[in-house]
């Protein structure tokens, strides 16, 4: 079959790499892709939000399946766009419907969904410009630190964790009245702060049944020891050592099952990934967020641990026959270390030539922000390359990634040297 994958990051390179291992995949296109996907598939210069152009390409190339990497096209309704179009309606889109994507597109929607379905999540209230004063008063009833979340998509920057009460009140005002995050912060969710360890659980569902994929933990801060600014993720490991069988059973029974049941009860079409952001608080899992896609860089450790055929899984999702397919997981640990441009997540340069990629051995270099320029692979984003390795434990896997990163170089290259330090 011919498949079109939307997106351009390390997540998409990892998904492309895995789909190409399937005998079911005859031809893979990636829109727009990066230098890594260009090396293994055919890149197409189409913006994932340009549904008209996607339609034209899908019909022209007789594409049999569309796999959506990032959240924006899902939140904007690409699934519904295909379903409503006479010429496209029989081409499966792997990803949720527009309403399903609200689990990520609106924090308030997600919280209401969790409360309705008895899914453990920290207590919250939501506020608008009209109820700003109530919001400021509500903050005085909570203990520090204060967690403020812009309701809508804010490119991963919409969550503020603030120590000081008056600063939290000022930021609430900035978000609601000052439109700190534009449209995304016209509503703000204020949430109880959780003290615990974070991890992520990934689920693939056809809307009726589900498969729980390997867990992962990512490292979001730019600096060693989890300090400094938040990033998209600087590294990840899978599995998460403390997510033992008893803890996973709690996640499945208290969170995954009621999530799938809740979607069914609400007649929400959902055929895709669910990425559940969790805190382990004294041995109990609580949900802090849903995402309606895979994580990046979590994909670069979760997907390499799938032994099953990913295209076969996607086909089963499309046909709502996921319960008939076996999920096989590699027992080994996988780790990935993200190599970034100096300055990221603030200002950084682009266009630097990356050298040494051909010397990587025993690891996989998944490209994130790269592109081809006159035959050279050059940087085109903040997060540049995710170096993934397997090991019998996370120490071995991480060590291998660092050995291979030593062979890479570009101007102002930076990476965290302490991924896994807390495990
Ligand atoms: P999110 O965008 O929802 O993943 O939030 C970004 C980060 O904020 C998370 O990775 C957590 O580290 C932190 N965070 C979010 N919600 C809470 C909470 N209720 N308590 C403590 N930390 C939180
Ligand atoms: N690494 C976090 C995310 O993909 O949202």
């Amino acid at each position: 079959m011919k498949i079109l994958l939307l997106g351009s990051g390390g997540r998409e390179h990892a998904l492309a790499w895995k789909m190409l291992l399937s005998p079911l995949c005859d031809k893979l296109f990636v829109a727009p892709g990066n230098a890594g996907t260009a090396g293994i598939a055919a890149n197409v210069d189409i913006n994932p939000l340009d549904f008209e152009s996607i339609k034209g390409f899908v019909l022209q190339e007789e594409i049999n399946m569309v796999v959506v990497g990032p959240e924006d096209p899902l939140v904007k309704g690409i699934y519904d766009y295909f379903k409503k179009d006479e010429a496209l309606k029989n081409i499966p889109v792997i990803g949720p419907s527009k309403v399903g994507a609200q689990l990520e597109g609106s924090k308030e929607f997600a919280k209401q969904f969790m409360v309705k379905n008895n899914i453990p999540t920290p207590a919250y209230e939501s506020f608008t410009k009209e109820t700003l004063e109530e919001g400021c008063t509500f903050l005085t009833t909570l203990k520090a630190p204060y967690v403020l979340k812009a309701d809508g998509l804010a490119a991963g920057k919409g969550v503020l964790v603030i120590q000081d009460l008056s600063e939290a009140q000022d930021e609430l005002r900035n978000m609601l009245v000052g439109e700190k995050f534009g449209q995304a912060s016209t509503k703000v969710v204020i949430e109880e702060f959780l003290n615990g360890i974070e991890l992520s659980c990934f689920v693939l569902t056809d809307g009726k049944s589900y498969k729980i994929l390997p867990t992962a933990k990512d490292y979001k801060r730019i600096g060693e020891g989890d300090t400094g600014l938040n990033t998209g993720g600087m590294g990840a490991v899978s599995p998460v050592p403390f997510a033992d069988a008893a803890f996973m059973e709690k996640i499945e029974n208290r969170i995954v099952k009621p999530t799938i049941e809740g979607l069914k009860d609400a007649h929400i079409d959902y055929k895709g990934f669910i990425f559940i952001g969790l805190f382990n608080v004294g041995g109990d899992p609580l949900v802090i967020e849903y995402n309606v896609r895979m994580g990046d860089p979590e994909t670069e450790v979760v997907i390499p641990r799938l032994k099953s055929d990913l295209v076969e899984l996607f086909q089963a999702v499309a046909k709502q026959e996921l319960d008939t397919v076996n999920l096989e997981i590699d027992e080994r640990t996988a780790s990935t270390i993200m190599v970034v441009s100096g300055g990221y997540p603030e200002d950084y340069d682009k266009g630097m030539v990356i050298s040494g990629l051909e010397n990587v051995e025993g690891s996989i270099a998944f490209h994130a922000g790269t592109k081809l320029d006159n035959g050279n692979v050059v940087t085109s984003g903040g997060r540049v390359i995710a170096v993934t390795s397997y090991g019998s434990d996370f120490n071995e896997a991480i060590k291998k990634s660092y050995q291979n990163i030593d062979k890479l170089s570009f101007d102002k290259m930076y990476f965290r040297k302490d991924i896994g330090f807390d495990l």
Side-chain angles (χ1 to χ4, degrees), residues 73-137:
L74 295 166
V75 173
K76 292 212 159 71
I78 191 162
Y79 179 94
D80 309 61
Y81 179 87
F82 269 65
K83 276 284 158 293
K84 285 187 191 132
D85 189 292
E86 218 28 62
L88 299 176
K89 67 178 187 199
N90 294 320
I91 301 167
V93 173
I94 303 302
S97 61
K98 189 170 181 173
V99 186
Q102 286 299 297
L103 283 181
E104 177 166 1
S106 164
K107 300 269 187 206
E108 190 188 38
F109 178 93
K111 295 296 281 191
Q112 286 171 347
F113 178 87
M114 288 186 262
V115 170
K116 180 159 182 231
N117 294 290
N118 289 316
I119 294 165
T121 185
Y124 82 105
E125 295 276 344
S126 56
F127 300 93
T128 60
K129 192 155 63 176
E130 287 70 35
T131 54
L132 168 65
E133 288 317 312
E134 283 100 310
C136 289
T137 309

Side-chain angles (χ1 to χ4, degrees), residues 161 218-235 345 414 416 418-419:
V161 181
D218 82 340
Y219 292 79
K220 289 200 168 93
R221 303 298 193 93
I222 189 72
E224 276 153 28
D226 286 340
T227 54
L229 293 173
N230 246 329
T231 71
M234 297 295 291
Y414 170 80
R416 270 181 65 169
D418 69 338
I419 298 304

Side-chain angles (χ1 to χ4, degrees), residues 173-191:
R173 204 165 286 119
N174 273 340
M175 287 167 93
L176 290 174
V177 183
E179 295 185 5
K180 183 179 173 109
F181 300 107
Q183 267 295 108
S185 64
T186 51
K187 212 180 266 172
V188 172
V189 167
I190 301 180
E191 191 175 81

Side-chain angles (χ1 to χ4, degrees), residues 143-191:
K143 276 189 284 188
Y146 307 94
V147 182
L148 309 184
K149 301 187 169 186
D151 179 59
L153 291 185
K157 299 194 173 79
V159 176
L160 304 179
V161 181
I162 302 167
Q163 281 299 331
D164 180 69
L165 174 63
S166 64
E167 197 189 317
Q169 291 171 326
D170 286 347
E171 284 294 359
L172 181 64
R173 204 165 286 119
N174 273 340
M175 287 167 93
L176 290 174
V177 183
E179 295 185 5
K180 183 179 173 109
F181 300 107
Q183 267 295 108
S185 64
T186 51
K187 212 180 266 172
V188 172
V189 167
I190 301 180
E191 191 175 81

Side-chain angles (χ1 to χ4, degrees), residues 56-75:
F57 182 79
V58 163
L59 295 177
Q60 175 201 316
E61 289 293 335
E62 301 181 349
I63 297 292
N64 307 107
M65 176 185 282
V66 178
V67 178
V68 186
E71 65 279 13
D72 318 36
L74 295 166
V75 173

Side-chain angles (χ1 to χ4, degrees), residues 218 220 232 275 291 293 295-298:
D218 82 340
K220 289 200 168 93
F275 158 175
N291 295 299
R293 51 171 173 86
D296 194 352
E298 292 92 331

Side-chain angles (χ1 to χ4, degrees), residues 209-418:
S209 61
Y210 61 86
K211 300 280 183 215
I212 298 182
L213 308 178
T215 54
K217 178 175 184 355
D218 82 340
Y219 292 79
K220 289 200 168 93
R221 303 298 193 93
I222 189 72
E224 276 153 28
D226 286 340
T227 54
L229 293 173
N230 246 329
T231 71
M234 297 295 291
V237 297
S238 173
V240 180
F242 63 79
D244 57 15
F247 189 67
M248 288 312 293
E249 206 178 296
K250 290 182 191 170
I251 293 179
E252 179 162 11
N253 289 328
R254 299 178 191 176
I255 295 165
V256 178
K257 279 185 187 159
T259 297
I260 305 299
E261 286 306 316
L263 290 169
K264 265 197 268 185
D265 289 348
H267 303 288
I268 294 174
D269 250 354
Y270 205 117
K271 299 195 184 90
F273 291 107
I274 311 178
F275 158 175
I276 308 173
L278 300 163
F279 263 75
N280 174 351
V281 181
D284 289 315
L286 277 90
V287 179
I288 56 156
E289 65 167 348
Y290 285 110
N291 295 299
V292 296
R293 51 171 173 86
M294 286 296 292
D296 194 352
E298 292 92 331
T299 307
E300 291 94 300
V301 290
V302 171
I303 292 295
R305 294 191 59 230
L306 294 191
K307 285 208 236 164
S308 307
D309 181 328
L310 186 58
V311 178
E312 192 187 346
L313 285 167
F314 286 158
Q315 270 186 331
V317 164
K319 291 189 202 145
Q320 293 198 299
E321 291 172 358
L322 193 56
D323 55 343
T324 65
V325 186
N326 245 335
L327 185 70
E328 277 187 87
I329 305 297
D330 194 319
E331 288 302 315
R332 290 175 296 173
T333 290
S335 77
T336 197
I337 315 287
M338 193 59 89
V339 179
V340 308
S341 288
Y344 172 80
E346 296 185 284
D347 289 344
Y348 54 85
D349 294 331
K350 292 182 187 175
M352 279 95 70
V353 175
I354 305 163
S355 61
L357 283 164
E358 66 286 358
N359 301 325
V360 170
E361 227 184 274
S363 297
I364 314 166
F366 289 120
H367 290 226
T370 70
K371 64 173 191 181
L372 288 172
D373 183 27
N374 279 323
N376 288 319
V377 178
V378 303
T379 68
S380 67
R383 295 193 295 166
V384 178
I385 305 267
V387 180
T388 293
S389 314
Y390 297 100
S392 54
D393 60 22
F394 62 87
N395 282 317
E396 190 183 307
I398 288 166
K399 197 168 143 202
K400 243 189 255 172
S401 286
Y402 284 125
Q403 281 166 353
N404 275 305
I405 287 176
D406 281 342
K407 301 173 189 165
L408 302 180
S409 74
F410 58 86
D411 192 27
K412 303 200 187 97
M413 171 173 137
Y414 170 80
F415 58 92
R416 270 181 65 169
K417 297 180 184 63
D418 69 338

